[in-house]
mmCIF file of all heavy atoms in Angstrom:
data_model
loop_
_atom_site.group_PDB
_atom_site.id
_atom_site.type_symbol
_atom_site.label_atom_id
_atom_site.label_comp_id
_atom_site.label_asym_id
_atom_site.label_seq_id
_atom_site.Cartn_x
_atom_site.Cartn_y
_atom_site.Cartn_z
ATOM 1 N N LEU A 196 -12.278 14.170 -23.385
ATOM 2 C CA LEU A 196 -12.129 13.396 -22.138
ATOM 3 C C LEU A 196 -11.126 12.252 -22.380
ATOM 4 O O LEU A 196 -10.288 11.963 -21.547
ATOM 5 C CB LEU A 196 -13.437 12.838 -21.676
ATOM 6 C CG LEU A 196 -14.225 13.836 -20.774
ATOM 7 C CD1 LEU A 196 -15.612 13.231 -20.479
ATOM 8 C CD2 LEU A 196 -13.454 14.134 -19.508
ATOM 9 N N ILE A 197 -11.339 11.569 -23.494
ATOM 10 C CA ILE A 197 -10.450 10.427 -23.828
ATOM 11 C C ILE A 197 -9.045 10.901 -23.920
ATOM 12 O O ILE A 197 -8.117 10.314 -23.356
ATOM 13 C CB ILE A 197 -10.937 9.708 -25.121
ATOM 14 C CG1 ILE A 197 -12.283 9.016 -24.861
ATOM 15 C CG2 ILE A 197 -9.892 8.704 -25.584
ATOM 16 C CD1 ILE A 197 -13.001 8.580 -26.124
ATOM 17 N N VAL A 198 -8.842 11.994 -24.669
ATOM 18 C CA VAL A 198 -7.493 12.499 -24.806
ATOM 19 C C VAL A 198 -6.837 12.821 -23.442
ATOM 20 O O VAL A 198 -5.698 12.413 -23.193
ATOM 21 C CB VAL A 198 -7.508 13.783 -25.735
ATOM 22 C CG1 VAL A 198 -6.137 14.458 -25.672
ATOM 23 C CG2 VAL A 198 -7.875 13.404 -27.132
ATOM 24 N N VAL A 199 -7.628 13.463 -22.587
ATOM 25 C CA VAL A 199 -7.102 13.817 -21.277
ATOM 26 C C VAL A 199 -6.808 12.554 -20.506
ATOM 27 O O VAL A 199 -5.712 12.437 -19.865
ATOM 28 C CB VAL A 199 -8.146 14.675 -20.484
ATOM 29 C CG1 VAL A 199 -7.766 14.831 -19.006
ATOM 30 C CG2 VAL A 199 -8.241 16.066 -21.132
ATOM 31 N N THR A 200 -7.745 11.564 -20.480
ATOM 32 C CA THR A 200 -7.542 10.347 -19.740
ATOM 33 C C THR A 200 -6.260 9.657 -20.204
ATOM 34 O O THR A 200 -5.446 9.233 -19.400
ATOM 35 C CB THR A 200 -8.695 9.385 -19.972
ATOM 36 O OG1 THR A 200 -9.928 10.113 -19.740
ATOM 37 C CG2 THR A 200 -8.693 8.202 -19.008
ATOM 38 N N VAL A 201 -6.071 9.555 -21.528
ATOM 39 C CA VAL A 201 -4.881 8.898 -22.033
ATOM 40 C C VAL A 201 -3.614 9.632 -21.615
ATOM 41 O O VAL A 201 -2.671 9.035 -21.162
ATOM 42 C CB VAL A 201 -4.963 8.810 -23.613
ATOM 43 C CG1 VAL A 201 -3.630 8.362 -24.140
ATOM 44 C CG2 VAL A 201 -6.065 7.841 -24.028
ATOM 45 N N ALA A 202 -3.685 10.921 -21.698
ATOM 46 C CA ALA A 202 -2.547 11.734 -21.325
ATOM 47 C C ALA A 202 -2.131 11.515 -19.827
ATOM 48 O O ALA A 202 -0.988 11.393 -19.461
ATOM 49 C CB ALA A 202 -2.784 13.215 -21.583
ATOM 50 N N VAL A 203 -3.205 11.509 -18.946
ATOM 51 C CA VAL A 203 -2.952 11.405 -17.541
ATOM 52 C C VAL A 203 -2.439 10.012 -17.152
ATOM 53 O O VAL A 203 -1.525 9.851 -16.431
ATOM 54 C CB VAL A 203 -4.201 11.786 -16.725
ATOM 55 C CG1 VAL A 203 -4.004 11.448 -15.239
ATOM 56 C CG2 VAL A 203 -4.457 13.280 -16.861
ATOM 57 N N SER A 204 -3.159 8.977 -17.746
ATOM 58 C CA SER A 204 -2.830 7.603 -17.350
ATOM 59 C C SER A 204 -1.641 7.081 -18.152
ATOM 60 O O SER A 204 -1.029 6.104 -17.798
ATOM 61 C CB SER A 204 -4.030 6.720 -17.486
ATOM 62 O OG SER A 204 -4.378 6.648 -18.871
ATOM 63 N N GLY A 205 -1.319 7.741 -19.218
ATOM 64 C CA GLY A 205 -0.268 7.228 -20.071
ATOM 65 C C GLY A 205 1.130 7.526 -19.518
ATOM 66 O O GLY A 205 1.267 8.016 -18.422
ATOM 67 N N SER A 206 2.131 7.240 -20.328
ATOM 68 C CA SER A 206 3.503 7.326 -19.809
ATOM 69 C C SER A 206 3.937 8.697 -19.464
ATOM 70 O O SER A 206 4.926 8.917 -18.800
ATOM 71 C CB SER A 206 4.451 6.685 -20.874
ATOM 72 O OG SER A 206 4.317 7.475 -22.073
ATOM 73 N N VAL A 207 3.197 9.697 -19.966
ATOM 74 C CA VAL A 207 3.638 11.078 -19.691
ATOM 75 C C VAL A 207 3.815 11.338 -18.203
ATOM 76 O O VAL A 207 4.787 11.910 -17.789
ATOM 77 C CB VAL A 207 2.532 12.099 -20.273
ATOM 78 C CG1 VAL A 207 3.008 13.513 -20.027
ATOM 79 C CG2 VAL A 207 2.324 11.814 -21.722
ATOM 80 N N TYR A 208 2.808 10.821 -17.431
ATOM 81 C CA TYR A 208 2.881 11.131 -15.987
ATOM 82 C C TYR A 208 3.222 9.898 -15.125
ATOM 83 O O TYR A 208 3.107 9.959 -13.932
ATOM 84 C CB TYR A 208 1.582 11.699 -15.542
ATOM 85 C CG TYR A 208 1.431 13.156 -15.973
ATOM 86 C CD1 TYR A 208 0.264 13.624 -16.548
ATOM 87 C CD2 TYR A 208 2.489 14.071 -15.854
ATOM 88 C CE1 TYR A 208 0.163 14.947 -16.927
ATOM 89 C CE2 TYR A 208 2.430 15.321 -16.251
ATOM 90 C CZ TYR A 208 1.207 15.816 -16.789
ATOM 91 O OH TYR A 208 1.103 17.097 -17.220
ATOM 92 N N ALA A 209 3.624 8.805 -15.745
ATOM 93 C CA ALA A 209 3.986 7.675 -14.884
ATOM 94 C C ALA A 209 5.341 8.001 -14.243
ATOM 95 O O ALA A 209 6.164 8.728 -14.850
ATOM 96 C CB ALA A 209 4.076 6.426 -15.724
ATOM 97 N N ALA A 210 5.585 7.490 -13.116
ATOM 98 C CA ALA A 210 6.886 7.681 -12.510
ATOM 99 C C ALA A 210 7.408 6.375 -11.994
ATOM 100 O O ALA A 210 7.968 6.194 -10.910
ATOM 101 C CB ALA A 210 6.771 8.709 -11.361
ATOM 102 N N ASP A 211 7.236 5.324 -12.742
ATOM 103 C CA ASP A 211 7.755 4.037 -12.460
ATOM 104 C C ASP A 211 9.273 4.101 -12.453
ATOM 105 O O ASP A 211 9.847 4.923 -13.237
ATOM 106 C CB ASP A 211 7.297 2.965 -13.460
ATOM 107 C CG ASP A 211 5.800 2.702 -13.379
ATOM 108 O OD1 ASP A 211 5.199 3.213 -12.418
ATOM 109 O OD2 ASP A 211 5.248 2.028 -14.259
ATOM 110 N N ARG A 212 9.881 3.346 -11.579
ATOM 111 C CA ARG A 212 11.408 3.434 -11.525
ATOM 112 C C ARG A 212 11.990 2.066 -11.518
ATOM 113 O O ARG A 212 11.446 1.156 -10.969
ATOM 114 C CB ARG A 212 11.809 4.127 -10.242
ATOM 115 C CG ARG A 212 11.466 5.556 -10.080
ATOM 116 C CD ARG A 212 11.760 6.047 -8.665
ATOM 117 N NE ARG A 212 13.212 6.088 -8.421
ATOM 118 C CZ ARG A 212 13.766 6.394 -7.252
ATOM 119 N NH1 ARG A 212 12.966 6.575 -6.198
ATOM 120 N NH2 ARG A 212 15.095 6.390 -7.101
ATOM 121 N N THR A 213 13.168 1.997 -12.108
ATOM 122 C CA THR A 213 13.957 0.752 -11.929
ATOM 123 C C THR A 213 15.265 1.153 -11.359
ATOM 124 O O THR A 213 15.949 2.061 -11.832
ATOM 125 C CB THR A 213 14.149 0.053 -13.297
ATOM 126 O OG1 THR A 213 12.886 -0.343 -13.793
ATOM 127 C CG2 THR A 213 15.013 -1.171 -13.144
ATOM 128 N N ILE A 214 15.649 0.517 -10.263
ATOM 129 C CA ILE A 214 16.875 0.860 -9.597
ATOM 130 C C ILE A 214 17.773 -0.420 -9.592
ATOM 131 O O ILE A 214 17.288 -1.516 -9.292
ATOM 132 C CB ILE A 214 16.621 1.242 -8.132
ATOM 133 C CG1 ILE A 214 15.632 2.455 -8.099
ATOM 134 C CG2 ILE A 214 17.873 1.554 -7.380
ATOM 135 C CD1 ILE A 214 15.063 2.686 -6.718
ATOM 136 N N ASN A 215 19.002 -0.207 -9.920
ATOM 137 C CA ASN A 215 19.933 -1.355 -9.814
ATOM 138 C C ASN A 215 20.863 -1.093 -8.621
ATOM 139 O O ASN A 215 21.451 -0.044 -8.498
ATOM 140 C CB ASN A 215 20.787 -1.468 -11.103
ATOM 141 C CG ASN A 215 19.918 -1.809 -12.283
ATOM 142 O OD1 ASN A 215 19.019 -2.682 -12.227
ATOM 143 N ND2 ASN A 215 20.096 -1.078 -13.423
ATOM 144 N N THR A 216 20.894 -2.052 -7.769
ATOM 145 C CA THR A 216 21.693 -1.887 -6.506
ATOM 146 C C THR A 216 22.367 -3.217 -6.179
ATOM 147 O O THR A 216 22.203 -4.225 -6.884
ATOM 148 C CB THR A 216 20.783 -1.382 -5.377
ATOM 149 O OG1 THR A 216 21.606 -0.962 -4.310
ATOM 150 C CG2 THR A 216 19.801 -2.410 -4.909
ATOM 151 N N ASP A 217 23.122 -3.235 -5.067
ATOM 152 C CA ASP A 217 23.737 -4.499 -4.643
ATOM 153 C C ASP A 217 22.832 -5.248 -3.694
ATOM 154 O O ASP A 217 22.577 -6.424 -3.891
ATOM 155 C CB ASP A 217 25.117 -4.191 -3.917
ATOM 156 C CG ASP A 217 26.102 -3.616 -4.904
ATOM 157 O OD1 ASP A 217 26.157 -4.075 -6.067
ATOM 158 O OD2 ASP A 217 26.841 -2.650 -4.507
ATOM 159 N N ILE A 218 22.350 -4.508 -2.643
ATOM 160 C CA ILE A 218 21.530 -5.172 -1.625
ATOM 161 C C ILE A 218 20.254 -4.378 -1.449
ATOM 162 O O ILE A 218 20.326 -3.154 -1.289
ATOM 163 C CB ILE A 218 22.317 -5.315 -0.341
ATOM 164 C CG1 ILE A 218 23.469 -6.338 -0.526
ATOM 165 C CG2 ILE A 218 21.403 -5.788 0.803
ATOM 166 C CD1 ILE A 218 24.333 -6.561 0.708
ATOM 167 N N VAL A 219 19.121 -5.066 -1.473
ATOM 168 C CA VAL A 219 17.882 -4.370 -1.100
ATOM 169 C C VAL A 219 17.355 -4.973 0.138
ATOM 170 O O VAL A 219 17.326 -6.209 0.351
ATOM 171 C CB VAL A 219 16.854 -4.419 -2.263
ATOM 172 C CG1 VAL A 219 16.575 -5.801 -2.744
ATOM 173 C CG2 VAL A 219 15.528 -3.744 -1.911
ATOM 174 N N VAL A 220 16.967 -4.110 1.095
ATOM 175 C CA VAL A 220 16.478 -4.471 2.372
ATOM 176 C C VAL A 220 14.991 -4.239 2.427
ATOM 177 O O VAL A 220 14.558 -3.132 2.106
ATOM 178 C CB VAL A 220 17.223 -3.692 3.493
ATOM 179 C CG1 VAL A 220 16.646 -4.102 4.872
ATOM 180 C CG2 VAL A 220 18.704 -3.974 3.472
ATOM 181 N N ILE A 221 14.227 -5.244 2.804
ATOM 182 C CA ILE A 221 12.779 -5.062 2.963
ATOM 183 C C ILE A 221 12.399 -4.869 4.388
ATOM 184 O O ILE A 221 12.499 -5.765 5.197
ATOM 185 C CB ILE A 221 11.950 -6.262 2.364
ATOM 186 C CG1 ILE A 221 12.425 -6.560 0.941
ATOM 187 C CG2 ILE A 221 10.502 -5.989 2.417
ATOM 188 C CD1 ILE A 221 11.774 -7.817 0.314
ATOM 189 N N GLY A 222 12.007 -3.644 4.727
ATOM 190 C CA GLY A 222 11.696 -3.356 6.129
ATOM 191 C C GLY A 222 12.775 -2.556 6.786
ATOM 192 O O GLY A 222 13.919 -2.987 6.845
ATOM 193 N N GLY A 223 12.468 -1.359 7.266
ATOM 194 C CA GLY A 223 13.466 -0.472 7.906
ATOM 195 C C GLY A 223 13.487 -0.506 9.398
ATOM 196 O O GLY A 223 13.710 0.503 10.024
ATOM 197 N N GLY A 224 13.161 -1.698 9.991
ATOM 198 C CA GLY A 224 13.310 -1.835 11.444
ATOM 199 C C GLY A 224 14.712 -2.060 11.887
ATOM 200 O O GLY A 224 15.663 -1.750 11.120
ATOM 201 N N SER A 225 14.923 -2.620 13.047
ATOM 202 C CA SER A 225 16.317 -2.835 13.531
ATOM 203 C C SER A 225 17.033 -3.864 12.711
ATOM 204 O O SER A 225 18.226 -3.792 12.506
ATOM 205 C CB SER A 225 16.363 -3.118 14.977
ATOM 206 O OG SER A 225 15.528 -4.242 15.334
ATOM 207 N N THR A 226 16.316 -4.871 12.207
ATOM 208 C CA THR A 226 16.932 -5.859 11.333
ATOM 209 C C THR A 226 17.447 -5.154 10.059
ATOM 210 O O THR A 226 18.600 -5.246 9.670
ATOM 211 C CB THR A 226 15.892 -6.931 10.897
ATOM 212 O OG1 THR A 226 15.345 -7.525 12.015
ATOM 213 C CG2 THR A 226 16.528 -7.986 10.012
ATOM 214 N N GLY A 227 16.539 -4.364 9.448
ATOM 215 C CA GLY A 227 16.890 -3.732 8.220
ATOM 216 C C GLY A 227 17.912 -2.621 8.349
ATOM 217 O O GLY A 227 18.783 -2.483 7.490
ATOM 218 N N MET A 228 17.890 -1.900 9.456
ATOM 219 C CA MET A 228 18.852 -0.802 9.615
ATOM 220 C C MET A 228 20.229 -1.351 9.875
ATOM 221 O O MET A 228 21.222 -0.847 9.323
ATOM 222 C CB MET A 228 18.432 0.113 10.787
ATOM 223 C CG MET A 228 17.097 0.800 10.570
ATOM 224 S SD MET A 228 16.981 1.750 9.069
ATOM 225 C CE MET A 228 18.139 3.033 9.395
ATOM 226 N N ALA A 229 20.301 -2.426 10.716
ATOM 227 C CA ALA A 229 21.636 -3.071 10.952
ATOM 228 C C ALA A 229 22.156 -3.665 9.614
ATOM 229 O O ALA A 229 23.331 -3.489 9.278
ATOM 230 C CB ALA A 229 21.494 -4.129 11.958
ATOM 231 N N ALA A 230 21.200 -4.257 8.835
ATOM 232 C CA ALA A 230 21.600 -4.808 7.556
ATOM 233 C C ALA A 230 22.133 -3.725 6.599
ATOM 234 O O ALA A 230 23.144 -3.894 5.942
ATOM 235 C CB ALA A 230 20.414 -5.547 6.936
ATOM 236 N N ALA A 231 21.390 -2.594 6.613
ATOM 237 C CA ALA A 231 21.738 -1.499 5.649
ATOM 238 C C ALA A 231 23.141 -0.921 6.022
ATOM 239 O O ALA A 231 23.979 -0.734 5.182
ATOM 240 C CB ALA A 231 20.695 -0.442 5.718
ATOM 241 N N VAL A 232 23.320 -0.666 7.297
ATOM 242 C CA VAL A 232 24.644 -0.056 7.717
ATOM 243 C C VAL A 232 25.780 -1.079 7.432
ATOM 244 O O VAL A 232 26.815 -0.658 6.865
ATOM 245 C CB VAL A 232 24.595 0.333 9.187
ATOM 246 C CG1 VAL A 232 25.974 0.762 9.672
ATOM 247 C CG2 VAL A 232 23.574 1.474 9.429
ATOM 248 N N ALA A 233 25.582 -2.297 7.835
ATOM 249 C CA ALA A 233 26.689 -3.303 7.633
ATOM 250 C C ALA A 233 26.966 -3.494 6.148
ATOM 251 O O ALA A 233 28.088 -3.593 5.757
ATOM 252 C CB ALA A 233 26.323 -4.577 8.267
ATOM 253 N N SER A 234 25.871 -3.544 5.324
ATOM 254 C CA SER A 234 26.067 -3.685 3.882
ATOM 255 C C SER A 234 26.869 -2.508 3.286
ATOM 256 O O SER A 234 27.820 -2.685 2.516
ATOM 257 C CB SER A 234 24.737 -3.751 3.178
ATOM 258 O OG SER A 234 23.955 -4.824 3.625
ATOM 259 N N ALA A 235 26.443 -1.319 3.685
ATOM 260 C CA ALA A 235 27.068 -0.109 3.108
ATOM 261 C C ALA A 235 28.538 0.010 3.625
ATOM 262 O O ALA A 235 29.413 0.431 2.831
ATOM 263 C CB ALA A 235 26.282 1.145 3.531
ATOM 264 N N GLN A 236 28.782 -0.363 4.841
ATOM 265 C CA GLN A 236 30.143 -0.364 5.335
ATOM 266 C C GLN A 236 31.031 -1.330 4.618
ATOM 267 O O GLN A 236 32.251 -1.145 4.505
ATOM 268 C CB GLN A 236 30.144 -0.671 6.856
ATOM 269 C CG GLN A 236 29.715 0.534 7.676
ATOM 270 C CD GLN A 236 29.576 0.253 9.166
ATOM 271 O OE1 GLN A 236 29.427 -0.932 9.542
ATOM 272 N NE2 GLN A 236 29.552 1.260 10.010
ATOM 273 N N GLY A 237 30.368 -2.422 4.070
ATOM 274 C CA GLY A 237 31.123 -3.397 3.331
ATOM 275 C C GLY A 237 31.249 -2.987 1.847
ATOM 276 O O GLY A 237 31.745 -3.766 1.038
ATOM 277 N N GLY A 238 30.844 -1.745 1.518
ATOM 278 C CA GLY A 238 31.049 -1.246 0.182
ATOM 279 C C GLY A 238 29.879 -1.450 -0.764
ATOM 280 O O GLY A 238 29.949 -1.167 -1.954
ATOM 281 N N ALA A 239 28.750 -2.011 -0.262
ATOM 282 C CA ALA A 239 27.634 -2.266 -1.134
ATOM 283 C C ALA A 239 26.734 -1.058 -1.320
ATOM 284 O O ALA A 239 26.624 -0.204 -0.401
ATOM 285 C CB ALA A 239 26.809 -3.476 -0.599
ATOM 286 N N LYS A 240 26.104 -1.009 -2.497
ATOM 287 C CA LYS A 240 25.024 -0.044 -2.732
ATOM 288 C C LYS A 240 23.761 -0.604 -2.135
ATOM 289 O O LYS A 240 23.403 -1.747 -2.414
ATOM 290 C CB LYS A 240 24.823 0.176 -4.223
ATOM 291 C CG LYS A 240 25.396 1.499 -4.765
ATOM 292 C CD LYS A 240 25.225 1.601 -6.293
ATOM 293 C CE LYS A 240 23.828 2.138 -6.545
ATOM 294 N NZ LYS A 240 23.565 2.154 -8.023
ATOM 295 N N VAL A 241 23.011 0.190 -1.316
ATOM 296 C CA VAL A 241 21.887 -0.348 -0.592
ATOM 297 C C VAL A 241 20.643 0.512 -0.763
ATOM 298 O O VAL A 241 20.675 1.717 -0.756
ATOM 299 C CB VAL A 241 22.220 -0.412 0.938
ATOM 300 C CG1 VAL A 241 21.036 -1.127 1.667
ATOM 301 C CG2 VAL A 241 23.529 -1.060 1.183
ATOM 302 N N VAL A 242 19.508 -0.181 -0.918
ATOM 303 C CA VAL A 242 18.172 0.433 -0.959
ATOM 304 C C VAL A 242 17.370 -0.208 0.152
ATOM 305 O O VAL A 242 17.381 -1.434 0.287
ATOM 306 C CB VAL A 242 17.467 0.204 -2.322
ATOM 307 C CG1 VAL A 242 16.008 0.671 -2.265
ATOM 308 C CG2 VAL A 242 18.185 0.961 -3.436
ATOM 309 N N VAL A 243 16.704 0.620 0.934
ATOM 310 C CA VAL A 243 15.810 0.105 1.970
ATOM 311 C C VAL A 243 14.379 0.464 1.631
ATOM 312 O O VAL A 243 14.041 1.628 1.405
ATOM 313 C CB VAL A 243 16.109 0.700 3.381
ATOM 314 C CG1 VAL A 243 15.133 0.179 4.449
ATOM 315 C CG2 VAL A 243 17.527 0.376 3.820
ATOM 316 N N LEU A 244 13.491 -0.569 1.537
ATOM 317 C CA LEU A 244 12.075 -0.320 1.287
ATOM 318 C C LEU A 244 11.301 -0.438 2.552
ATOM 319 O O LEU A 244 11.416 -1.420 3.311
ATOM 320 C CB LEU A 244 11.569 -1.380 0.273
ATOM 321 C CG LEU A 244 12.220 -1.447 -1.065
ATOM 322 C CD1 LEU A 244 11.800 -2.725 -1.814
ATOM 323 C CD2 LEU A 244 11.918 -0.222 -1.894
#
Side-chain angles (χ1 to χ4, degrees):
Chain A
L196 273 174
I197 291 165
V198 169
V199 169
T200 311
V201 169
V203 170
S204 63
S206 61
V207 182
Y208 285 135
D211 293 349
R212 293 173 68 186
T213 297
I214 302 165
N215 296 315
T216 191
D217 294 320
I218 292 179
V219 55
V220 176
I221 307 177
S225 53
T226 304
M228 297 306 292
V232 172
S234 301
Q236 284 174 340
K240 257 179 81 182
V241 187
V242 171
V243 177
L244 300 170

